[in-house]
Amino acid sequence: MKLVLKNKPKRCNRVARNVSQKLRNSGGSMFGNACQRGYFAHNKSPLQFYSDRLHLIRSKKGFICDMDGVVYRGNSLVNGVHSFMEWIKDTDKNLLFLTNTSSASQASLQQKLMKMGLEVPKDWFYTSSIATAQFLSIQKPNCTAYVIGESCLVNDLEESGIIITDSNPDYVVVGEKEYYSRNMINLAVNLVRQGAKLIGTNGDYYDPVEYGAIVPSCGAWVSVIEKATGINAYFVGKPNPIMVRGALKILNMHSHDVAFIGDRMETDILSGVEAALDTVLVLSGVSKMSDIDGEQSNKFGWMPMLVLNSVGDLAPDEYNQIRDPYCREY
């Protein structure tokens, strides 16, 4: 599959500041107390430890990459994405964008990236909408469902043989939607009370957008139905490892050959860990260094293999000499 980089920035003398350079300048202090407290059991210097793990991740044959907070925030690319994508293209690595969004089709995600200067094949996108349709078609072929979500979720379900109805459905499926109405939620509540199983495309309570703001997401709206009915939803999207396993099937690759790149400890990194993938946390989205190396660092019982400022730091230094004037730094 051909990857085209549009609006490709010219090389310039100013080298992008990346994690490896910061480590060289700081003697490895970027790891801070995490190394000092022995979160990573090793007998090497922080710089050598970082270099070894970076080399291991770079040697992977494929990558599963989250989108929001990793590739873009809002309508702006995260700095370093062009470097990463050019490295992927030059080294013939496999890449699949995996996103918890259920409100965008593969075609619309393709167009979104194209407007920001990246042109990638449509089948490089795997959404929670597609994963939910696949899950239900396996669980109960030709089942029925009442759906709260955008047209792409309805289309994915129908293409998988699921019949959309509000009359005694087998499932109530809730995805992301620009406008939720009280009538929709009321109907969903009563259908669940009457016996329909409650399915959420993803459990994210909020999504990051530009300038550090957030917006409520699917999990926040599903929680209203859960509270009203006393029934817990089953979420197909991350951190459910079933979605990562679906991505591995699409790539036709084994878990030890693939790394997972994400910006959320509680979804991306957890789903990667539970699917036995090596994981990379980037600090360009939701989770911050303080989440794993601060006073509240004990709230997660799992850790990423590697922490980077952005996905661009995965590319070798010669690629990070490329800076995109259209990207926004976070």
Side-chain angles (χ1 to χ4, degrees):
M1 292 180 290
K2 186 177 180 182
L3 169 67
V4 180
L5 298 181
K6 300 177 68 178
N7 300 329
K8 177 180 171 183
K10 297 180 179 180
R11 293 181 180 269
C12 60
N13 294 327
R14 184 175 58 176
V15 177
R17 292 175 299 173
N18 56 33
V19 176
S20 60
Q21 290 171 318
K22 286 189 174 183
L23 280 168
R24 285 193 291 268
N25 294 335
S26 65
S29 61
M30 182 178 174
F31 286 103
N33 293 330
C35 282
Q36 296 172 19
R37 290 197 299 265
Y39 282 174
F40 306 109
H42 62 91
N43 296 317
K44 301 176 182 179
S45 69
L47 180 58
Q48 185 60 51
F49 171 78
Y50 164 81
S51 298
D52 289 349
R53 291 207 164 183
L54 181 59
H55 176 75
L56 174 63
I57 296 297
R58 283 175 173 171
S59 69
K60 298 290 183 179
K61 297 177 182 178
F63 293 92
I64 297 172
C65 186
D66 180 43
M67 297 188 70
D68 292 342
V70 177
V71 177
Y72 58 75
R73 291 192 65 164
N75 294 311
S76 300
L77 287 177
V78 171
N79 216 3
V81 171
H82 272 287
S83 304
F84 173 71
M85 295 300 290
E86 182 164 320
W87 174 65
I88 290 290
K89 180 187 69 171
D90 289 350
T91 53
D92 292 322
K93 295 185 183 294
N94 293 305
L95 176 64
L96 184 68
F97 291 115
L98 185 149
T99 173
N100 257 359
T101 184
S102 61
S103 59
S105 65
Q106 290 174 309
S108 62
L109 289 171
Q110 182 187 41
Q111 287 295 317
K112 182 180 179 74
L113 289 190
M114 188 180 299
K115 290 178 180 178
M116 289 187 271
L118 294 178
E119 186 173 341
V120 299
K122 186 172 68 173
D123 56 1
W124 278 25
F125 302 94
Y126 185 48
T127 69
S128 65
S129 174
I130 297 172
T132 300
Q134 292 173 342
F135 171 76
L136 293 182
S137 66
I138 294 173
Q139 286 284 302
K140 190 172 183 177
N142 302 312
C143 62
T144 58
Y146 170 67
V147 182
I148 298 177
E150 298 293 350
S151 59
C152 59
L153 175 57
V154 174
N155 292 338
D156 287 335
L157 292 169
E158 289 182 330
E159 288 177 4
S160 295
I162 296 164
I163 301 168
I164 309 303
T165 180
D166 60 2
S167 177
N168 194 30
D170 298 308
Y171 297 95
V172 167
V173 180
V174 182
E176 295 168 327
K177 189 172 178 62
E178 186 173 1
Y179 300 106
Y180 294 83
S181 74
R182 183 174 184 138
N183 288 339
M184 292 177 184
I185 300 297
N186 288 345
L187 180 55
V189 166
N190 284 287
L191 290 174
V192 171
R193 291 185 65 203
Q194 293 167 15
K197 296 179 176 65
L198 181 58
I199 303 293
T201 58
N202 61 292
D204 297 310
Y205 287 107
Y206 60 89
D207 288 321
V209 292
E210 293 177 287
Y211 308 110
I214 62 171
V215 294
S217 190
C218 180
W221 300 105
V222 172
S223 66
V224 176
I225 303 173
E226 289 180 316
K227 292 293 185 182
T229 62
I231 300 297
N232 293 327
Y234 182 79
F235 294 100
V236 178
K238 300 172 293 183
N240 193 333
I242 193 172
M243 191 172 179
V244 179
R245 295 191 188 108
L248 289 173
K249 288 181 181 179
I250 294 173
L251 290 172
N252 193 27
M253 300 181 72
H254 193 275
S255 57
H256 65 70
D257 291 324
V258 180
F260 192 107
I261 307 168
D263 70 307
R264 294 191 186 200
M265 284 291 294
E266 67 274 20
T267 54
D268 302 324
I269 304 306
L270 178 58
S271 60
V273 168
E274 292 189 345
L277 272 67
D278 290 332
T279 56
V280 179
L281 175 69
V282 293
L283 304 177
S284 52
V286 174
S287 293
K288 302 303 178 185
M289 199 67 184
S290 58
D291 291 324
I292 59 174
D293 188 25
E295 293 181 358
Q296 301 298 321
S297 60
N298 63 341
K299 66 181 178 180
F300 298 117
W302 59 95
M303 293 288 286
M305 171 165 279
L306 191 65
V307 181
L308 300 173
N309 283 329
S310 77
V311 72
D313 290 322
L314 269 179
D317 287 352
E318 59 267 28
Y319 289 92
N320 278 317
Q321 293 178 9
I322 302 174
R323 293 188 63 86
D324 188 351
Y326 302 103
C327 292
R328 186 185 305 280
E329 263 191 89
Y330 292 94

